[in-house]
Amino acid sequence: MDLSQFTQAFFVEAIELLAEMEQLLLDLDVEAPDSEQLNAIFRAAHSIKGGAATFGFTALTNTTHVLETLLDRARHGQLRLSGSMIDAFLETKDALQEQLTAYQAGKEPDPEMVAHICGVLHQLALESGAESAAAPAAAPVPAPVAAPVAAAPVAASGGGDGVLRIRFARLSDSECELLAGELTNLGKVLSRTRSNDQFTVMLETTCDPDDIVAVCCFVIDESQIDITREVAEAETPVAAPAPAPVVVAEEPAKAPVAAAPVQAAAAPAAAAAAPGAKESSSIRVDVEKVDQLINLVGELVITQSMLTQAATMLDPVAYERFLSGLGHLERNARDLQESVMSIRMMPMDYVFSRFPRVIRDVSAKLGKQVRLDTYGKETELDKGLIERIVDPLTHLVRNSLDHGIETPEVRLAKGKDATGQLLLSAQHHGGNIVIEVSDDGAGLNRERILAKAMQQGMAVSETMPDEEVWQLIFAPGFSTAEQITDISGRGVGMDVVKRNIQEMGGHVEIHSRGGQGTTTRIVLPLTLAILNGMSVKVGDEAYILPLSYVIESLQPLPEHLHSITADGHVIRVRGEYLPLIELHRVFDVAGAQTHPTQGILVIVQADDSRFALMVDELLGQHQVVVKNLETNYRKVPGISAATILGDGSVAFIIDVGAMPRIQRAQAASTAALAGAARRTDAVAL
């Protein structure tokens, strides 16, 4: 049977194990390491090695074997940990991640990278084992056992040459063939027998029983496996040639005892399962299947809306039972939609758990002391958004470390604690999620930002409010760093952060106080699949405005309108002059109201600027199912997506942030055409 169907499960599990390993290494106290943490790190490496051996990932198997050997010595107190060792283990984790990525892409890992990381681990082993290198050689050889014994129980960490009797229960024929084929990769199959649903294999192997269990658990459940060690006769242990120059102190072999089956190395297996105990009540489902389910539920909600709208034409007395059932259908459809949408929601801990490593590495490189605090790790966000928010948050964190938090000497001189604080928080606010990156560093330098902006020819003034000054750092190529480093300072990144957040339907705010620190606030919708919107009419066309942008709506009076060009107007709202954008001009809609006093103005805010959108009328507020327009048609300027209304018609969802750019482009095009026409008339005369 083709094992490729199981490789994806291995990749997912291995990535989770590496993330768990990294977190445990970062939390480990090298002076007084916790035995449970060391055991958990060892189990993670051991599980990855077992799975890698199953699928023939040689480089991954070899690297994890060397790492596992060092971790085994550490957990048995034979290896004294140090900060440099933790650095090497973290570097190994990164190398294992690269190897996994290569195997996922169907390629072999870079051999130089594999050789380098194995060399680092071998050197660690040699250095740490130098003091006790003579101890294993001086260890007494255990006396041979006089009488042969039929079988001995498998030790929890047993290994070495031997014959294992592996019994499988409740197997199908295809599973028998698959497991038999895989066991040949782990040793020599001496015999195999099948009786009813029992399948027994005699395997001559050097693998640990734990490795056998790890391999088989990608195909069957652990409870279906039973392993005992068969010993034909007692032999004096003979040292096997080491696969690598790693010094390992082995415990003297103990005399075997009477046969007793071990339930698939129950103790280590149970311990290995402990960190992921929740997995027993969960299943892995491909995200494409979840998206398909969400789309189908969206179609159901649209169909229900159509029925509800059609039912408005019926007599409520004559069709009372029908309308009552329709009401139940609407409630159930909404509940179903909310339940299905919750499947795609993931906790922010998925993002926050990445940053202890980032902060450790960057702060060490900068010579700073930083403490990370997190709040709201359990707050949930749509999977599609949570994957796209990682890069912007990483850039903001690195900026806080490089530009915000001061060195210990500077902080002490200012009367601060030598250790700076970086806070990552997330919380729900209405239909949005608010993510904040805060530090207690030096804060933004208003004067330096304004000077840099003037140097770059930007339109700024000394009287600008702080909020507008802080937004200048999002301009492309803007940086106040005095020198360029490999961490930041090139003026590349903050503009990308803002653009990425806007593409997700969110916005960024900055609050800063000199000498006290900076807070960057990101506001995002909880999901991109459902949108709370206001439906508006322009001519005979219906459009949807995302409610997150809408501030208010009004019908202007003539005295509130002011012309700035032949076709350009502004509207005065409570002393503030706002640009007026006429949607019928933007989308070239015929039959629409052309004078602002005859229409409705919707005041919106995008990119920290306010403006008014002119529409014919407001139709109402709806929760709409978002349909990707580019997937089903093509990209349309000014339109972010589409939806289907209750009457079956298609309504476009307006890209509010793009409206000012489109209006400026149209005005420039109109001016260019007018200039060309005047030049043509002049030539004709």
Side-chain angles (χ1 to χ4, degrees), residues 304-325:
Q304 172 266 318
S305 298
M306 292 179 179
L307 290 173
T308 301
Q309 184 157 336
T312 58
M313 308 297 294
L314 301 177
D315 184 351
V317 177
Y319 294 92
E320 179 182 0
R321 292 185 61 187
F322 173 76
L323 295 176
S324 175

Side-chain angles (χ1 to χ4, degrees), residues 52-66:
T54 305
F55 300 108
F57 299 149
T58 307
L60 192 60
T61 305
N62 293 341
T63 308
T64 48
H65 173 72
V66 184

Side-chain angles (χ1 to χ4, degrees), residues 41 126 348 365 444:
I41 297 168
L126 290 172
M348 282 299 296
K365 185 177 293 187
L444 296 177

Side-chain angles (χ1 to χ4, degrees), residues 11 114 124 179 211 218 238 264 309 360 386 422 444 464 490 597 606 619:
F11 288 137
V114 176
L124 268 182
L179 290 169
D211 290 334
F218 283 101
V238 180
Q309 184 157 336
R360 181 183 188 274
I386 214 166
L422 185 67
L444 296 177
M464 290 174 63
R490 298 182 183 275
T597 57
L619 300 179

Side-chain angles (χ1 to χ4, degrees), residues 278 338-352 375-387 389 425-435 524-528:
K278 292 184 180 179
E338 291 178 5
S339 298
V340 171
M341 288 305 304
S342 68
I343 296 176
R344 274 189 62 96
M345 305 300 277
M346 295 177 63
M348 282 299 296
D349 188 42
Y350 176 84
V351 178
F352 288 172
Y375 170 78
K377 293 189 293 185
E378 68 286 349
T379 306
E380 292 186 326
L381 182 63
D382 186 273
K383 174 178 168 57
L385 292 173
I386 214 166
E387 291 174 343
I389 196 64
S425 68
Q427 60 181 325
H428 287 151
H429 189 271
N432 297 322
I433 184 173
V434 178
I435 305 169
L524 291 172
L526 290 178
T527 178
L528 295 180

